[in-house]
Amino acid sequence: MTTKVISFGCKPPRENLDLIDAQISLGHRYYNKLIELHRKQMEDCENARRERFPEFAAIEMDVAEAEANVTRIVDDIRANNAKAKRKRATPEESSALSEAKARLKELRAVRKTIRAAIAEDAGLQKHLASIYEASATAKKEARANCGVYWGTYQKVENAVESAIKKSKGPPRFARWNHDGMYGQVAVQVMGGGTWQEMLIGKGKIGSLIRAEPAPCKRTSEKTARPWQFSLRISSDENRKPVWASVMAYVSPNFMP
């Protein structure tokens, strides 16, 4: 099955604008809550390692300093080469760089040995596993209490995972705005659906997304026409859908 992803610029919601804003606000809070929980998990694990292996923190700092020193020397050589209009480092510079790289290699070897000891320490690994388990439980509770509809909270969680992977240290909290992954509302249709199901409100997709043509004075078949798209953003106390609607102009080329 071929998947087609199409984006449209939409006008502001015609219905339930306040609920859209509420979902975006709650999504932002949920994003930062997950970041908070992940940072706590990292901190707890770091403290556990330091308590069992006090030398772990020191070697990490030494490696970071050695890496920074190698980078500084390389940058200085490049700047000096550009200034002197030369292509190679001086013997003194080459010697300093070699010494710095050798020191870095030595420290990394020590760190590797300590990391191996950490991995083989059954007591520490059991402690770390309990930290991960507690963090996973806290994240499940955060999801249950976030107040964000399921399609949107999945998008928030994906954004958090992406931020964690890209971050070299603890992931940062997000400042409030209406942009970014946490500034959206979304639904996910498991198994997909058809355009006809959206039109008649049937199937899984019909319970989450609906579409209907809006009145239009234009008659040309080549002209984009307005459509009203309704997105399920919540459920009421009877588990019935709560909709938000937007208007989008769709080119005939995109129509099934």
Side-chain angles (χ1 to χ4, degrees), residues 215-221 223-226 249:
C216 179
K217 296 180 180 180
R218 301 177 183 179
T219 58
S220 173
E221 295 182 357
T223 303
R225 297 189 174 216
Y249 281 86

mmCIF file with all atom_site columns, all heavy atoms in Angstrom, residues 215-221 223-226 249:
data_model
loop_
_atom_site.group_PDB
_atom_site.id
_atom_site.type_symbol
_atom_site.label_atom_id
_atom_site.label_alt_id
_atom_site.label_comp_id
_atom_site.label_asym_id
_atom_site.label_entity_id
_atom_site.label_seq_id
_atom_site.pdbx_PDB_ins_code
_atom_site.Cartn_x
_atom_site.Cartn_y
_atom_site.Cartn_z
_atom_site.occupancy
_atom_site.B_iso_or_equiv
_atom_site.pdbx_formal_charge
_atom_site.auth_seq_id
_atom_site.auth_comp_id
_atom_site.auth_asym_id
_atom_site.auth_atom_id
_atom_site.pdbx_PDB_model_num
ATOM 1  N N   . PRO A 1 215 ? -19.314 25.201 1.197   1.00 0.00 ? 215 PRO A N   1
ATOM 2  C CA  . PRO A 1 215 ? -19.904 25.987 0.108   1.00 0.00 ? 215 PRO A CA  1
ATOM 3  C C   . PRO A 1 215 ? -18.859 26.822 -0.605  1.00 0.00 ? 215 PRO A C   1
ATOM 4  O O   . PRO A 1 215 ? -17.955 27.391 0.015   1.00 0.00 ? 215 PRO A O   1
ATOM 5  C CB  . PRO A 1 215 ? -20.922 26.874 0.845   1.00 0.00 ? 215 PRO A CB  1
ATOM 6  C CG  . PRO A 1 215 ? -21.233 26.140 2.097   1.00 0.00 ? 215 PRO A CG  1
ATOM 7  C CD  . PRO A 1 215 ? -19.961 25.455 2.496   1.00 0.00 ? 215 PRO A CD  1
ATOM 8  N N   . CYS A 1 216 ? -18.968 26.859 -1.944  1.00 0.00 ? 216 CYS A N   1
ATOM 9  C CA  . CYS A 1 216 ? -17.971 27.582 -2.743  1.00 0.00 ? 216 CYS A CA  1
ATOM 10 C C   . CYS A 1 216 ? -18.650 28.163 -3.981  1.00 0.00 ? 216 CYS A C   1
ATOM 11 O O   . CYS A 1 216 ? -19.442 27.488 -4.642  1.00 0.00 ? 216 CYS A O   1
ATOM 12 C CB  . CYS A 1 216 ? -16.839 26.629 -3.141  1.00 0.00 ? 216 CYS A CB  1
ATOM 13 S SG  . CYS A 1 216 ? -15.560 27.398 -4.139  1.00 0.00 ? 216 CYS A SG  1
ATOM 14 N N   . LYS A 1 217 ? -18.316 29.414 -4.295  1.00 0.00 ? 217 LYS A N   1
ATOM 15 C CA  . LYS A 1 217 ? -18.898 30.071 -5.464  1.00 0.00 ? 217 LYS A CA  1
ATOM 16 C C   . LYS A 1 217 ? -18.130 29.743 -6.739  1.00 0.00 ? 217 LYS A C   1
ATOM 17 O O   . LYS A 1 217 ? -18.629 29.945 -7.831  1.00 0.00 ? 217 LYS A O   1
ATOM 18 C CB  . LYS A 1 217 ? -18.918 31.577 -5.252  1.00 0.00 ? 217 LYS A CB  1
ATOM 19 C CG  . LYS A 1 217 ? -19.810 32.019 -4.091  1.00 0.00 ? 217 LYS A CG  1
ATOM 20 C CD  . LYS A 1 217 ? -19.787 33.524 -3.944  1.00 0.00 ? 217 LYS A CD  1
ATOM 21 C CE  . LYS A 1 217 ? -20.675 33.969 -2.778  1.00 0.00 ? 217 LYS A CE  1
ATOM 22 N NZ  . LYS A 1 217 ? -20.663 35.440 -2.605  1.00 0.00 ? 217 LYS A NZ  1
ATOM 23 N N   . ARG A 1 218 ? -16.904 29.254 -6.584  1.00 0.00 ? 218 ARG A N   1
ATOM 24 C CA  . ARG A 1 218 ? -16.087 28.961 -7.760  1.00 0.00 ? 218 ARG A CA  1
ATOM 25 C C   . ARG A 1 218 ? -16.566 27.676 -8.415  1.00 0.00 ? 218 ARG A C   1
ATOM 26 O O   . ARG A 1 218 ? -16.898 26.704 -7.751  1.00 0.00 ? 218 ARG A O   1
ATOM 27 C CB  . ARG A 1 218 ? -14.622 28.841 -7.357  1.00 0.00 ? 218 ARG A CB  1
ATOM 28 C CG  . ARG A 1 218 ? -14.079 30.114 -6.691  1.00 0.00 ? 218 ARG A CG  1
ATOM 29 C CD  . ARG A 1 218 ? -12.645 29.912 -6.243  1.00 0.00 ? 218 ARG A CD  1
ATOM 30 N NE  . ARG A 1 218 ? -12.133 31.084 -5.536  1.00 0.00 ? 218 ARG A NE  1
ATOM 31 C CZ  . ARG A 1 218 ? -10.916 31.178 -5.015  1.00 0.00 ? 218 ARG A CZ  1
ATOM 32 N NH1 . ARG A 1 218 ? -10.085 30.149 -5.123  1.00 0.00 ? 218 ARG A NH1 1
ATOM 33 N NH2 . ARG A 1 218 ? -10.533 32.270 -4.386  1.00 0.00 ? 218 ARG A NH2 1
ATOM 34 N N   . THR A 1 219 ? -16.537 27.680 -9.718  1.00 0.00 ? 219 THR A N   1
ATOM 35 C CA  . THR A 1 219 ? -17.049 26.516 -10.453 1.00 0.00 ? 219 THR A CA  1
ATOM 36 C C   . THR A 1 219 ? -15.995 25.816 -11.291 1.00 0.00 ? 219 THR A C   1
ATOM 37 O O   . THR A 1 219 ? -16.237 24.739 -11.806 1.00 0.00 ? 219 THR A O   1
ATOM 38 C CB  . THR A 1 219 ? -18.198 26.958 -11.376 1.00 0.00 ? 219 THR A CB  1
ATOM 39 O OG1 . THR A 1 219 ? -17.732 27.970 -12.290 1.00 0.00 ? 219 THR A OG1 1
ATOM 40 C CG2 . THR A 1 219 ? -19.349 27.525 -10.548 1.00 0.00 ? 219 THR A CG2 1
ATOM 41 N N   . SER A 1 220 ? -14.825 26.410 -11.444 1.00 0.00 ? 220 SER A N   1
ATOM 42 C CA  . SER A 1 220 ? -13.780 25.802 -12.264 1.00 0.00 ? 220 SER A CA  1
ATOM 43 C C   . SER A 1 220 ? -13.277 24.520 -11.605 1.00 0.00 ? 220 SER A C   1
ATOM 44 O O   . SER A 1 220 ? -13.032 24.469 -10.401 1.00 0.00 ? 220 SER A O   1
ATOM 45 C CB  . SER A 1 220 ? -12.606 26.772 -12.446 1.00 0.00 ? 220 SER A CB  1
ATOM 46 O OG  . SER A 1 220 ? -11.535 26.123 -13.105 1.00 0.00 ? 220 SER A OG  1
ATOM 47 N N   . GLU A 1 221 ? -13.143 23.467 -12.400 1.00 0.00 ? 221 GLU A N   1
ATOM 48 C CA  . GLU A 1 221 ? -12.666 22.185 -11.884 1.00 0.00 ? 221 GLU A CA  1
ATOM 49 C C   . GLU A 1 221 ? -11.182 22.220 -11.543 1.00 0.00 ? 221 GLU A C   1
ATOM 50 O O   . GLU A 1 221 ? -10.681 21.330 -10.872 1.00 0.00 ? 221 GLU A O   1
ATOM 51 C CB  . GLU A 1 221 ? -12.931 21.083 -12.911 1.00 0.00 ? 221 GLU A CB  1
ATOM 52 C CG  . GLU A 1 221 ? -14.416 20.823 -13.161 1.00 0.00 ? 221 GLU A CG  1
ATOM 53 C CD  . GLU A 1 221 ? -14.627 19.697 -14.137 1.00 0.00 ? 221 GLU A CD  1
ATOM 54 O OE1 . GLU A 1 221 ? -13.611 19.175 -14.656 1.00 0.00 ? 221 GLU A OE1 1
ATOM 55 O OE2 . GLU A 1 221 ? -15.793 19.305 -14.376 1.00 0.00 ? 221 GLU A OE2 1
ATOM 56 N N   . THR A 1 223 ? -9.708  24.806 -9.961  1.00 0.00 ? 223 THR A N   1
ATOM 57 C CA  . THR A 1 223 ? -9.500  25.710 -8.840  1.00 0.00 ? 223 THR A CA  1
ATOM 58 C C   . THR A 1 223 ? -9.615  24.956 -7.512  1.00 0.00 ? 223 THR A C   1
ATOM 59 O O   . THR A 1 223 ? -10.499 24.112 -7.344  1.00 0.00 ? 223 THR A O   1
ATOM 60 C CB  . THR A 1 223 ? -10.534 26.852 -8.857  1.00 0.00 ? 223 THR A CB  1
ATOM 61 O OG1 . THR A 1 223 ? -10.438 27.523 -10.109 1.00 0.00 ? 223 THR A OG1 1
ATOM 62 C CG2 . THR A 1 223 ? -10.262 27.832 -7.725  1.00 0.00 ? 223 THR A CG2 1
ATOM 63 N N   . ALA A 1 224 ? -8.713  25.270 -6.582  1.00 0.00 ? 224 ALA A N   1
ATOM 64 C CA  . ALA A 1 224 ? -8.786  24.659 -5.255  1.00 0.00 ? 224 ALA A CA  1
ATOM 65 C C   . ALA A 1 224 ? -10.104 25.038 -4.584  1.00 0.00 ? 224 ALA A C   1
ATOM 66 O O   . ALA A 1 224 ? -10.559 26.178 -4.681  1.00 0.00 ? 224 ALA A O   1
ATOM 67 C CB  . ALA A 1 224 ? -7.606  25.126 -4.400  1.00 0.00 ? 224 ALA A CB  1
ATOM 68 N N   . ARG A 1 225 ? -10.675 24.089 -3.902  1.00 0.00 ? 225 ARG A N   1
ATOM 69 C CA  . ARG A 1 225 ? -11.973 24.312 -3.267  1.00 0.00 ? 225 ARG A CA  1
ATOM 70 C C   . ARG A 1 225 ? -11.869 24.123 -1.754  1.00 0.00 ? 225 ARG A C   1
ATOM 71 O O   . ARG A 1 225 ? -11.029 23.357 -1.271  1.00 0.00 ? 225 ARG A O   1
ATOM 72 C CB  . ARG A 1 225 ? -13.003 23.343 -3.836  1.00 0.00 ? 225 ARG A CB  1
ATOM 73 C CG  . ARG A 1 225 ? -13.246 23.554 -5.325  1.00 0.00 ? 225 ARG A CG  1
ATOM 74 C CD  . ARG A 1 225 ? -14.410 22.738 -5.803  1.00 0.00 ? 225 ARG A CD  1
ATOM 75 N NE  . ARG A 1 225 ? -14.729 23.039 -7.182  1.00 0.00 ? 225 ARG A NE  1
ATOM 76 C CZ  . ARG A 1 225 ? -15.951 23.063 -7.689  1.00 0.00 ? 225 ARG A CZ  1
ATOM 77 N NH1 . ARG A 1 225 ? -16.976 22.828 -6.902  1.00 0.00 ? 225 ARG A NH1 1
ATOM 78 N NH2 . ARG A 1 225 ? -16.161 23.329 -8.946  1.00 0.00 ? 225 ARG A NH2 1
ATOM 79 N N   . PRO A 1 226 ? -12.726 24.807 -1.008  1.00 0.00 ? 226 PRO A N   1
ATOM 80 C CA  . PRO A 1 226 ? -12.674 24.692 0.458   1.00 0.00 ? 226 PRO A CA  1
ATOM 81 C C   . PRO A 1 226 ? -13.299 23.400 0.957   1.00 0.00 ? 226 PRO A C   1
ATOM 82 O O   . PRO A 1 226 ? -14.343 22.970 0.473   1.00 0.00 ? 226 PRO A O   1
ATOM 83 C CB  . PRO A 1 226 ? -13.483 25.913 0.921   1.00 0.00 ? 226 PRO A CB  1
ATOM 84 C CG  . PRO A 1 226 ? -14.455 26.156 -0.190  1.00 0.00 ? 226 PRO A CG  1
ATOM 85 C CD  . PRO A 1 226 ? -13.735 25.784 -1.456  1.00 0.00 ? 226 PRO A CD  1
ATOM 86 N N   . TYR A 1 249 ? -8.182  24.778 1.734   1.00 0.00 ? 249 TYR A N   1
ATOM 87 C CA  . TYR A 1 249 ? -8.436  24.758 0.295   1.00 0.00 ? 249 TYR A CA  1
ATOM 88 C C   . TYR A 1 249 ? -7.609  23.646 -0.327  1.00 0.00 ? 249 TYR A C   1
ATOM 89 O O   . TYR A 1 249 ? -6.382  23.586 -0.167  1.00 0.00 ? 249 TYR A O   1
ATOM 90 C CB  . TYR A 1 249 ? -8.075  26.113 -0.334  1.00 0.00 ? 249 TYR A CB  1
ATOM 91 C CG  . TYR A 1 249 ? -9.147  27.149 -0.116  1.00 0.00 ? 249 TYR A CG  1
ATOM 92 C CD1 . TYR A 1 249 ? -9.166  27.899 1.050   1.00 0.00 ? 249 TYR A CD1 1
ATOM 93 C CD2 . TYR A 1 249 ? -10.152 27.354 -1.046  1.00 0.00 ? 249 TYR A CD2 1
ATOM 94 C CE1 . TYR A 1 249 ? -10.161 28.860 1.278   1.00 0.00 ? 249 TYR A CE1 1
ATOM 95 C CE2 . TYR A 1 249 ? -11.155 28.286 -0.850  1.00 0.00 ? 249 TYR A CE2 1
ATOM 96 C CZ  . TYR A 1 249 ? -11.146 29.040 0.320   1.00 0.00 ? 249 TYR A CZ  1
ATOM 97 O OH  . TYR A 1 249 ? -12.134 29.962 0.536   1.00 0.00 ? 249 TYR A OH  1
#
